[in-house]
Amino acid sequence: MTPGQKFCTNCGTGLVPGMKFCGQCGMAIPIVTSPVTVPASPVSAAPATGTRPAAGEIVVGIVPFVEQGLISVIHYTLVVTSRRLIFCTWDPKTDEVMSDADDEVMQESCSIEETTDEITHFRAKDWSVGPWQKYRSMATDSIATSSMGTIIVPIQEIESVDIICETRTSTQDSLYVMHGQKEHTFDLMYSQGPFLFGILEPILGERVSMADHKHRRSKIDRLITGQEYK
C-alpha cells in the first residue's frame, strides 16, 4: 500500500495495512518501495487539485450523497470537472462500500442532538476521504459512462446553479441546475451546500449562487397563533 492509502483505487473498498490485493475486486495494491532520486524535469507537473487525462479535462471536486426523489430515491455522487457536472448513480442494494459509508455518516448525524449543531459539524467535515474518491483515478469519459442513469451537464451550457442551504431544521440543502430549457433539482445531504459552492464558484463565477433558506411562517400558521389579528 502507498502511504495514507485507505481505499482501493479500483472499487473504493476500505483497505487494511499489509494487504496485497483488494478483498472486494482483487485489484493488486501498490507496494511502497525505497525512494529513488529523480532528476528535475523541465516539464511542469499536473495540478494536484484534479485528475488530468490527455484531453485536458480535470476532476476538480467530488460531492457524495446527492439525491433525487422522495419515495423512490435516486442516489448520486457528483463529480465536478473543468467541463462537466457528472451525476453518477449508485445503488445502496448493490454498492456495499458506498452504502456502508452512508451509514457511517448517518451515525455521525444521529450522535448529534441539535440540528443546528449537525449543520455546523457537517459544514466543517472533510469530504476529501471516502470511497467516492475512486473517481479521481478514472478518466473523465469513463466516469461519464460508469453507471446507468448518469446525468451530465456541460459547464458551458449552464445558465445558473442555485444552492439553498438549510440553517435550522434540516441538514438537507437544495441544488437547482438550469441549462437550456431544463432544470435539475437535487438534495445535497449532510449540509454540503457550502462545500459544493466552494467547488463551483471558481468555475461558474456569477452563474452560481448560494443563499440560506428563509423560514417564513405560512399564513395558516399565523392565523392559528392569532398573529393575523390586531
Side-chain angles (χ1 to χ4, degrees):
M1 293 175 59
T2 56
Q5 183 176 352
K6 299 180 181 179
F7 299 93
C8 174
T9 57
N10 184 55
C11 69
T13 299
L15 300 176
V16 177
M19 289 180 67
K20 295 182 179 180
F21 297 92
C22 174
Q24 181 71 19
C25 68
M27 181 75 174
I29 309 303
I31 304 300
V32 178
T33 58
S34 300
V36 178
T37 302
V38 179
S41 171
V43 180
S44 300
T49 55
T51 304
R52 185 184 296 277
E57 183 179 18
I58 66 170
V59 174
V60 296
I62 301 175
V63 180
F65 312 125
V66 178
E67 298 182 359
Q68 269 186 335
L70 295 174
I71 298 176
S72 180
V73 177
I74 304 174
H75 300 264
Y76 299 94
T77 296
L78 169 56
V79 181
V80 180
T81 79
S82 54
R83 296 181 182 176
R84 295 178 280 187
L85 304 186
I86 307 175
F87 295 85
C88 304
T89 58
W90 63 273
D91 188 345
K93 296 179 181 179
T94 58
D95 193 334
E96 294 183 6
V97 176
M98 278 298 293
S99 184
D100 289 345
D102 194 8
D103 288 342
E104 289 179 10
V105 180
M106 181 60 72
Q107 288 299 320
E108 288 182 40
S109 178
C110 292
S111 68
I112 304 172
E113 209 167 301
E114 298 293 333
T115 303
T116 52
D117 292 336
E118 282 185 75
I119 293 171
T120 300
H121 169 78
F122 285 121
R123 286 188 177 186
K125 184 176 175 64
D126 180 8
W127 295 102
S128 65
V129 177
W132 48 88
Q133 295 296 330
K134 66 181 181 180
Y135 293 108
R136 288 194 180 275
S137 64
M138 298 171 60
T140 51
D141 285 339
S142 296
I143 296 173
T145 58
S146 63
S147 58
M148 295 291 292
T150 293
I151 297 174
I152 301 174
V153 182
I155 293 293
Q156 63 181 8
E157 295 181 11
I158 293 177
E159 295 177 14
S160 65
V161 173
D162 298 310
I163 300 170
I164 306 300
C165 300
E166 291 291 338
T167 59
R168 289 166 46 189
T169 61
S170 171
T171 58
Q172 182 174 301
D173 296 338
S174 299
L175 170 65
Y176 304 91
V177 180
M178 284 289 301
H179 70 107
Q181 300 299 316
K182 299 179 181 178
E183 179 180 49
H184 296 289
T185 303
F186 303 90
D187 296 320
L188 298 169
M189 312 309 291
Y190 308 117
S191 301
Q192 293 187 91
F195 174 56
L196 176 57
F197 181 78
I199 296 172
L200 293 179
E201 187 180 28
I203 302 172
L204 297 177
E206 295 182 353
R207 288 184 290 166
V208 60
S209 68
M210 182 174 67
D212 290 338
H213 180 197
K214 303 299 183 183
H215 292 272
R216 296 189 176 91
R217 300 175 69 183
S218 65
K219 185 172 182 179
I220 187 65
D221 288 336
R222 296 194 298 272
L223 283 169
I224 292 172
T225 59
Q227 292 183 13
E228 289 295 308
Y229 299 94
K230 294 183 179 179

